[in-house]
Amino acid sequence: MSLMAEVGQKAFNLGVPLAVHLDVTYRCNERCVHCYLDHDDHGEMTTAEIKGVLDQLAEAGVFFLTFSGGEVFLRRDFFDLVEHARRLSFNVKIKTNAVMIDEADAKRLRALNIDTVQISLYSHRAEVHDAITKLPRSFERTVRAIEFLRDQGLRVTIANVLMTANLGDHYGTQKLAAELGVHYTLDPTITPMMDGDESVLALRIPGLELEEVFRNPALVGNQEEFCAPPKPPTDEDMEGYSCSAGHSFCYISPYGDVFPCVQFPLPTGNVREQKFLDIWNFSPQMNEVRSIQARDLTTCSSCSHVASCTRCPGLAYMEGNMRGPSTADCEKSFYRTGVPTANMLRQGLAKPQSAVAARAAALIQIQPVAALA
């Protein structure tokens, strides 16, 4: 086990909030078709409030800090916030669409010794990327910013969300990342809107395409191991937890709301009303999340995939039960291994009833961005 893995496991075991994802705004200069956020400003925390939260996070033992949004660079005080975070010795990661980053910004980020800049890029084809973001020339501006950041020696990761709108383009996007000399990640997860609206789930890719992704060694690494049939769970597996949400990680919204994870919209408190550590240590909701072991999961506890599934308790919560199965993760487990999940067997399904298939007649149509003007 690597040193960082050991640190992460120790923080998990001790309940130390090692990592926090902080959205500083939901405002954005893009209108991505799959985005789950409300982009209106309903009262973002001020500069002083966010700095106060950062002070509390440092006191609580947080080390890894992710600034995200919305688009972080829409906040005029963003560099001020980053500078404050670095003075507190956080390891800082920034998630951005990079449209607003110029060469001077790249140099400033390098001077602040930012760990990673993660940039959303949806295709190697400008017309596809721009149609998803609904912002003309966003592809051109994002790629130029990637070059600025790379030339400063910053670690850059292209994050490519896979959906029906860019289906098949991940090969070209991965090749573009290699040509740019930056890291590449692919994520097929489309989540409901934060208000519960599920219409965006029509953008989830069909199962057969998901199976093809999981059979590509260039995307998943050791295909033989990754796609192997699930092993019987051990007692240790059954006493385990499905993810770090609420254990060593949490999410804070631009309005100060604290959640176990950005994909787990269970309110646990607000830093405008309580100290962060009081929420982390004493919130009944946070402690309930921590109490759930694999053996407590309805349906999943009897599933052959329980030890290897990527089950997201947040997605399960949005489906109605944080102890229940996540349909999207059941689908991934099936197409990764070819073995039906307990949730599928309970419903008498030989294959997942894909959210895309169920909404085939209502698929979101992505129009070229020029047609939207």
Side-chain angles (χ1 to χ4, degrees), residues 19-300:
V20 167
H21 177 133
L22 172 60
D23 277 351
V24 293
T25 184
Y26 284 159
R27 291 174 290 130
C28 193
N29 46 7
E30 295 183 337
R31 286 295 181 270
C32 298
V33 296
H34 63 290
C35 187
Y36 53 86
L37 296 174
D38 172 2
H39 294 301
D40 292 333
D41 180 0
H42 299 288
E44 296 170 358
M45 287 188 286
T46 64
T47 306
E49 285 179 312
I50 293 179
K51 286 183 176 181
V53 170
L54 295 178
D55 292 340
Q56 291 184 48
L57 297 182
E59 182 183 356
V62 174
F63 178 65
F64 297 103
L65 178 69
T66 298
F67 282 119
S68 185
E71 174 46 49
V72 294
F73 285 95
L74 283 177
R75 284 197 65 127
R76 296 181 179 180
D77 61 355
F78 182 61
F79 273 111
D80 191 15
L81 297 175
V82 175
E83 288 169 357
H84 190 74
R86 291 296 296 129
R87 281 195 293 271
L88 293 169
S89 299
F90 288 114
N91 174 285
V92 174
K93 175 180 180 178
I94 295 171
K95 293 186 177 183
T96 174
N97 59 40
V99 166
M100 299 174 68
I101 296 177
D102 58 23
E103 190 170 8
D105 293 328
K107 289 180 179 178
R108 194 170 178 185
L109 291 172
R110 181 67 187 90
L112 287 166
N113 201 22
I114 300 304
D115 180 81
T116 306
V117 182
Q118 179 177 304
I119 298 173
S120 300
L121 192 71
Y122 302 111
S123 175
H124 61 296
R125 295 184 292 161
E127 64 272 20
V128 174
H129 176 88
D130 290 1
I132 290 173
T133 66
K134 298 185 180 180
L135 181 65
R137 295 182 56 241
S138 56
F139 175 85
E140 174 190 337
R141 295 161 69 184
T142 294
V143 170
R144 186 170 64 244
I146 291 172
E147 293 171 336
F148 288 149
L149 295 164
R150 175 206 62 198
D151 291 346
Q152 289 300 316
L154 283 156
R155 185 186 309 173
V156 178
T157 294
I158 284 177
N160 183 15
V161 177
L162 186 61
M163 62 191 101
T164 56
N166 60 0
L167 195 58
D169 280 17
H170 55 278
Y171 293 108
T173 311
Q174 185 179 29
K175 182 180 178 182
L176 175 60
E179 292 171 352
L180 291 168
V182 300
H183 187 58
Y184 172 84
T185 61
L186 180 68
D187 185 2
T189 305
I190 301 293
T191 64
M193 299 283 289
M194 290 191 82
D195 63 4
D197 184 353
E198 296 186 354
S199 61
V200 71
L201 298 186
L203 287 167
R204 284 181 177 170
I205 64 170
L208 291 178
E209 282 76 6
L210 190 61
E211 182 177 20
E212 187 275 329
V213 167
F214 287 153
R215 299 268 180 301
N216 184 340
L219 296 174
V220 302
N222 189 331
Q223 177 190 343
E224 185 174 338
E225 180 180 330
F226 184 73
C227 296
K231 296 178 181 179
T234 64
D235 288 341
E236 185 177 358
D237 291 328
M238 298 307 293
E239 293 172 358
Y241 306 88
S242 55
C243 77
S244 62
H247 293 271
S248 58
F249 172 85
C250 72
Y251 163 67
I252 303 176
S253 82
Y255 312 121
D257 297 307
V258 180
F259 302 95
C261 176
V262 68
Q263 291 186 168
F264 198 160
L266 171 69
T268 66
N270 187 290
V271 292
R272 281 173 157 167
E273 302 167 359
Q274 298 168 270
K275 294 290 187 181
F276 171 77
L277 264 180
D278 288 342
I279 298 171
W280 179 261
N281 288 325
F282 305 120
S283 162
Q285 297 85 358
M286 198 74 83
N287 284 320
E288 180 184 5
V289 170
R290 293 189 190 113
S291 73
I292 303 171
Q293 297 179 323
R295 66 174 74 257
D296 301 320
L297 302 176
T298 58
T299 308
C300 301

Side-chain angles (χ1 to χ4, degrees), residues 127 130-131 134 136 365-373:
E127 64 272 20
D130 290 1
K134 298 185 180 180
Q365 299 299 309
I366 309 301
Q367 300 296 332
V369 72
L372 297 169

